[in-house]
Amino acid sequence: MKGPRKMDTPPAAARAGIGTKGRWRGLRLAAACFVVLVGCGMAFLGGFAAFATHVARLSTPAEQTDADAIIVLTGGEKRLDAALDLLQSGKGQRLLISGAHPDARLVDIQRATGGDAGLFSCCVDIDYAALDTIGNAEESAKWVTSHAYGSVIVVTNNYHMPRSLLELKRMVGDTLLLPYPVVNTKLDGGEWMTNKAALRVLFTEYAKYLAAVARVALPRLGSEPVEVLEASAGG
């Protein structure tokens, strides 16, 4: 009586062929992953270069177009002084100081800036609720809506302007936003490439800007494309 038939063992050459194919598949997958990573890295760095160049070329307008109101986002040097100068010169009817410290009373800000007490009394509002740029946009939108303003001058630093406009547009709808970038450090000659402090600020802001773009774009997939890097004022 014959015993159970043994299964044929693949020849050594066949086993070697199977192993070689597996290794080639693994190498191809690793190569594809490497190409994708390199491509993403190059896209990120290319985007950063475009962002930094765009920000560096923003300049404070020599003559600002009039608007219904003015919003200044606190946190950067010279922002508040620039906004008060615009209000004083009649470029807007009213000013919102968004993101002020909870302990900073309106009268304290007026004294610290040397602003006109009468102007502060009639035409300046202060927002304490905003803790970041998203909060600035939310509180500013409430203020704009409550006053039915159709156009607003936005005052913030040049590096902060693209993200600020993106967040504000998400909140204020059809209200016209007029950028008024405040420039503390001249970078339009490419100085940001060798200025470590400026490079660090720009890189951090770029990462935050990408997050803002994603936050705006994801709910709108399948709709019209999101416009980015729209801030252009005076240069």
Side-chain angles (χ1 to χ4, degrees):
M1 183 176 177
K2 295 182 179 180
R5 184 179 179 182
K6 295 182 179 179
M7 295 182 64
D8 293 335
T9 303
R15 294 198 301 271
I18 293 172
T20 300
K21 289 181 180 179
R23 285 194 295 272
W24 275 112
R25 281 197 295 268
L27 288 173
R28 284 197 295 268
L29 179 60
C33 291
F34 177 75
V35 170
V36 170
L37 288 174
V38 171
C40 289
M42 292 179 65
F44 181 85
L45 292 176
F48 171 68
F51 176 86
T53 301
H54 171 77
V55 167
R57 290 176 178 172
L58 293 179
S59 60
T60 304
E63 182 59 38
Q64 176 61 50
T65 304
D66 291 356
D68 294 334
I70 305 163
I71 296 173
V72 57
L73 311 183
T74 61
E77 185 182 356
K78 300 179 181 178
R79 297 181 190 182
L80 187 54
D81 289 338
L84 288 171
D85 286 344
L86 289 171
L87 182 65
Q88 182 73 52
S89 60
K91 295 300 180 181
Q93 304 168 16
R94 197 166 189 87
L95 168 66
L96 173 66
I97 302 173
S98 178
H101 191 279
D103 296 333
R105 299 176 302 167
L106 197 61
V107 65
D108 296 329
I109 297 175
Q110 178 262 316
R111 290 170 180 169
T113 59
D116 180 80
L119 191 64
F120 267 79
S121 177
C122 79
C123 306
V124 177
D125 297 317
I126 188 166
D127 151 47
Y128 296 106
L131 300 176
D132 53 22
T133 305
I134 297 175
N136 289 141
E138 292 172 345
E139 298 305 316
S140 296
K142 295 175 186 177
W143 185 75
V144 168
T145 300
S146 66
H147 290 85
Y149 291 137
S151 59
V152 176
I153 299 171
V154 180
V155 181
T156 190
N157 288 98
N158 55 345
Y159 63 85
H160 190 229
M161 187 61 76
R163 183 162 60 101
S164 299
L165 290 181
L166 196 62
E167 297 288 7
L168 282 165
K169 284 183 178 181
R170 187 166 62 94
M171 298 289 180
V172 299
D174 295 331
T175 301
L176 177 64
L177 300 177
L178 303 173
Y180 191 88
V182 176
V183 181
N184 294 331
T185 304
K186 184 177 175 62
L187 300 172
D188 57 344
E191 295 87 347
W192 61 269
M193 297 182 187
T194 56
N195 186 323
K196 291 183 179 179
L199 196 60
R200 183 171 57 252
V201 170
L202 287 171
F203 194 84
T204 300
E205 189 60 33
Y206 175 61
K208 293 180 179 179
Y209 176 75
L210 289 182
V213 169
R215 187 164 47 250
V216 173
L218 287 177
R220 297 171 56 184
L221 288 177
S223 182
E224 69 275 10
V226 177
E227 296 181 6
V228 297
L229 292 181
E230 296 178 359
S232 58

